[in-house]
Amino acid sequence: MSIIREHTQATLSDAWRTINIDTLQEDSSVNFDTATLRPPQPEVSEADVRQLQAQVRQLLRGGDPEGALRGCLEAPAYGGNDLAREAALQTVIEVLQSIKASDMTPMLQRIYGSPGGSECLDVLMKYLYKGMAATSSSTGGAPRTPTRMTPQPTGFSQIGPRPGGSAESTGAAMSVLLSWHEKVVEVAGLGCIGRVMTDWRRV
Amino acid sequence: MAAPEVHHLFHNPIADHSFSADHKTLAVARDTAVELYAKVGNVFKLKDELKGHDKTVTSIDIAPNSGRIVSCSQDRNALVWEPTPQGYKPTLVLLRINRAATFVRWSPSETKFAVGSGDRLIAVCYFEEENDWWVSKHLKKPIRSTITTVAWHPNSVLLAAGSTDAHARVFSSFIKGVDARPEPTAWGERLPFNTVCGEYMNNSAGWVHSVAFSPSGDALAFAAHDSSITVVYPSAPEQPPKAVISINTQLLPFMSLIWNGEAEIIAAGYDCEAFRFRGGIDGWQLSGAVETKGRPGLGDQREESALNMFRQMDLKGKVKDDTQLKTVHQNTITMIRPYEASGDAVKKFSSSGVDGRIVIWTV
């Protein structure tokens, strides 16, 4: 039976276009795990992250915010579960909030200029985006709570009936992240954003 | 440095371009046709239009010695255009693929060409005298996604390919009866068809836009979507490479790269201009843009009169007209190719862009 003969004006639909022909082919990408294309990441447990967090806090108290920042960027929680990742994000945000605005750019430039620094700033950018996603989607405002909720239909708006003062704290967290974002782009360029979007290793 | 030679052909994207060996003919892929331009004085004039594809032409290549043009398209076909006194005569090549053909290049020997495709394979095509047609053999394993680019080793047997599965691979495309047995290289000694001589990816696993062998063939460079280029130095067959050097940049990703000798790579892409990388096995770094900005005659050619200033203020609400990029190309550069070379060193290279411009640069 000819397919072409069947095509009258009435039957000329594009329903056939919605058939996912990839599933019919054995070796197509939907029929194998694409993760097998990449080397596996070492497993990071929540305990490891907590330990790092303690070290980082100690560095912060000791007045070495740059060391603290480097410390958490050099050991990103790529292979961890949700709790470990959440804790790692928390650590990074803590460090970022403790650094003065005037110190940001010189510190980023020092890190970028050092060996492996470009990689570090890419990791920082990943945390910034993750942080923004977490603060904008969590209703509680505290990025602490595991944030697996659907984003608010109101989008970015932080104004609304929120339990006491959380809107301000979310807004403050967001503004810290945004000002870091601006500084990181100044130092590491647009390539840094491109790498975050391209990279398969998620923090 | 001499000013670049700019040819603004039309207002459509140019997917690929190729010059004939004498530089008198320029072939560009425009929409579903291949347009041939001839040099008349200092400008390129449309001479011929090769119509044979019914979907977007994705890539073209002119063989420098035979003058044959090969084109491939999203209609899943490749055509070889043979120059005859009556014009170009197309021959259909049986690719046996069921997805778009994405990229085509003649081997340096000009007896074969390789077509990358969305069908997760590379068709290596050669002419069979007894049947009088072009046939293809498939390089299939271990490709897991669309092939975006291919590049030939100088020995016409080894073929590098970049893919959206983020790997750059080196294959053997040895075809009995067509190729002479190649000299052993660092990539491999015995090279039956579909030998995988190397498989590389960079840390962030961006998909690959462009690959190129160095002039000696002993190093491979590839550009990926994470704004990086990676250079691989193989050591010996079946051994891990001597060095794999990745350079992350602050720029937007590169779409195309070429080697200039063994110690320089020129890459261009979404930043609308070309950049140089210099280095060797001990390390590579970005050394700057090829284009010199703020050349006289670009942008500031108009005398800034008070009248003009107020007119701009009135029309656009600002004094400076900033709708033009400061680069020659006004949109992404899709392809760069060597134009004139002496030995291994490139003296001039050409670039084509989404803005419909062909530019010839002096290195």
Side-chain angles (χ1 to χ4, degrees):
Chain A
M1 181 177 69
S2 158
I3 293 169
I4 295 160
R5 189 163 47 83
E6 296 285 293
H7 269 265
T8 62
Q9 202 59 36
T11 59
L12 201 63
S13 77
D14 52 5
W16 55 275
R17 280 184 170 272
T18 60
I19 300 170
N20 186 0
I21 57 167
D22 279 329
T23 55
L24 304 174
Q25 254 182 330
E26 207 181 312
D27 58 346
S28 80
S29 56
V30 294
N31 288 331
F32 76 96
D33 184 10
T34 45
T36 55
L37 288 171
R38 305 175 287 248
Q41 287 295 317
E43 196 72 31
V44 182
S45 71
E46 204 191 342
D48 297 339
V49 177
R50 295 273 172 232
Q51 199 186 345
L52 182 76
Q53 194 169 26
Q55 284 171 3
V56 164
R57 281 196 182 130
Q58 200 164 3
L59 281 170
L60 273 184
R61 274 197 300 275
D64 182 12
E66 188 175 338
L69 186 58
R70 279 205 80 118
C72 40
L73 297 183
E74 275 164 5
Y78 284 145
N81 57 15
D82 281 353
L83 279 171
R85 285 156 189 253
E86 211 63 52
L89 172 67
Q90 205 45 48
T91 317
V92 174
I93 290 181
E94 235 177 83
V95 176
L96 293 183
Q97 280 171 332
S98 71
I99 295 169
K100 281 203 301 259
S102 56
D103 294 341
M104 289 180 185
T105 308
M107 190 181 290
L108 289 173
Q109 273 162 349
R110 274 197 302 277
I111 294 179
Y112 189 74
S114 63
S118 158
E119 187 87 28
C120 276
L121 293 198
D122 291 350
V123 175
L124 175 56
M125 199 54 135
K126 286 178 198 169
Y127 278 117
L128 292 180
Y129 279 119
K130 189 183 164 82
M132 287 186 211
T135 47
S136 66
S137 65
S138 72
T139 42
R144 242 262 107 98
T145 50
T147 47
R148 289 286 160 265
M149 290 180 188
T150 47
Q152 295 286 294
T154 46
F156 284 106
S157 172
Q158 298 295 333
I159 309 154
R162 295 264 170 83
S166 69
E168 284 97 86
S169 80
T170 323
M174 187 63 102
S175 86
V176 169
L177 295 175
L178 278 173
S179 58
W180 273 98
H181 182 273
E182 182 192 345
K183 299 288 193 296
V184 175
V185 172
E186 265 170 33
V187 175
L190 292 175
C192 180
I193 299 178
R195 276 190 287 281
V196 171
M197 292 194 287
T198 310
D199 207 328
W200 53 278
R201 296 166 299 179
R202 307 263 172 227
V203 290
Chain B
M1 202 217 301
E5 202 182 302
V6 184
H7 302 283
H8 196 176
L9 301 180
F10 41 72
H11 293 279
N12 275 49
I14 301 176
D16 196 0
H17 74 284
S18 182
F19 280 94
S20 63
D22 60 5
H23 297 156
K24 287 196 179 117
T25 308
L26 162 67
V28 298
R30 178 189 190 180
D31 211 8
T32 61
V34 175
E35 291 191 346
L36 294 182
Y37 286 81
K39 192 149 195 185
V40 183
N42 277 330
V43 293
F44 281 101
K45 283 261 183 331
L46 185 63
K47 182 178 75 173
D48 202 356
E49 218 177 346
L50 307 181
K51 288 193 166 164
H53 291 291
D54 57 9
K55 293 238 161 47
T56 306
V57 177
T58 48
S59 185
I60 47 167
D61 198 23
I62 304 182
N65 299 319
S66 66
R68 283 181 186 144
I69 302 174
V70 61
S71 61
C72 71
S73 152
Q74 290 173 2
D75 65 9
R76 312 185 308 266
N77 289 322
L79 294 173
V80 175
W81 304 82
E82 194 98 31
T84 64
Q86 290 83 42
Y88 282 92
K89 188 174 76 68
T91 314
L92 186 69
V93 182
L94 300 171
L95 293 179
R96 297 181 288 123
I97 56 176
N98 50 26
R99 293 294 155 88
T102 52
F103 204 83
V104 64
R105 285 294 178 265
W106 285 104
S107 71
S109 65
E110 298 183 17
T111 52
K112 302 188 291 187
F113 57 85
V115 184
S117 84
D119 205 15
R120 301 182 298 278
L121 58 83
I122 304 164
V124 179
C125 308
Y126 58 100
F127 194 73
E128 235 180 45
E129 293 290 347
E130 56 219 70
N131 295 325
D132 193 29
W133 68 32
W134 291 89
V135 292
S136 61
K137 272 183 99 168
H138 288 172
L139 288 169
K140 238 178 150 134
K141 288 219 150 62
I143 303 166
R144 296 324 296 251
S145 190
T146 301
I147 294 292
T148 51
T149 176
V150 296
W152 287 93
H153 189 274
N155 71 6
S156 290
V157 168
L158 292 169
L159 181 71
S163 163
T164 49
D165 61 16
H167 286 82
R169 299 187 178 89
V170 177
F171 294 101
S172 162
S173 69
F174 181 78
I175 287 168
K176 236 189 189 159
V178 177
D179 294 306
R181 190 167 292 279
E183 297 283 312
T185 62
W187 300 101
E189 278 154 12
R190 283 196 64 246
L191 297 167
F193 189 78
N194 209 352
T195 309
V196 181
C197 305
E199 214 177 351
Y200 311 100
M201 77 191 299
N202 59 16
N203 286 336
S204 47
W207 62 94
V208 180
H209 286 302
S210 184
V211 286
F213 279 107
S214 73
S216 67
D218 293 339
L220 177 78
F222 63 92
H225 197 68
D226 58 353
S227 303
S228 73
I229 70 164
T230 304
V231 189
V232 179
Y233 290 92
S235 54
E238 315 278 326
Q239 298 291 315
K242 266 191 279 188
V244 179
I245 301 153
S246 253
I247 311 105
N248 287 344
T249 67
Q250 301 169 312
L251 307 161
L252 295 177
F254 302 107
M255 288 295 281
S256 185
L257 58 80
I258 53 172
W259 287 77
N260 174 20
E262 296 286 332
E264 186 169 286
I265 291 172
I266 298 169
Y270 289 103
D271 268 313
C272 314
E273 60 175 325
F275 292 89
R276 279 173 220 272
F277 291 85
R278 290 212 174 96
I281 192 158
D282 303 319
W284 280 81
Q285 55 195 20
L286 181 69
S287 67
V290 172
E291 204 166 309
T292 38
K293 298 278 169 46
R295 268 192 321 280
L298 188 86
D300 304 326
Q301 69 271 71
R302 246 176 309 129
E303 187 84 9
E304 276 306 328
S305 65
L307 173 70
N308 197 19
M309 190 185 89
F310 284 117
R311 183 179 287 154
Q312 290 286 338
M313 291 273 275
D314 186 36
L315 280 172
K316 293 170 182 153
K318 53 191 170 190
V319 181
K320 275 268 182 234
D321 182 13
D322 58 359
T323 54
Q324 293 259 314
L325 293 179
K326 288 199 173 67
T327 51
V328 171
H329 276 289
Q330 293 295 306
N331 208 327
T332 303
I333 295 174
T334 49
M335 184 61 62
I336 57 173
R337 282 167 173 267
Y339 179 79
E340 201 180 304
S342 61
D344 285 345
V346 175
K347 282 161 75 181
K348 288 183 176 180
F349 69 94
S350 58
S351 62
S352 61
V354 177
D355 57 351
R357 284 178 177 81
I358 298 278
V359 183
I360 299 162
W361 305 89
T362 310
V363 176

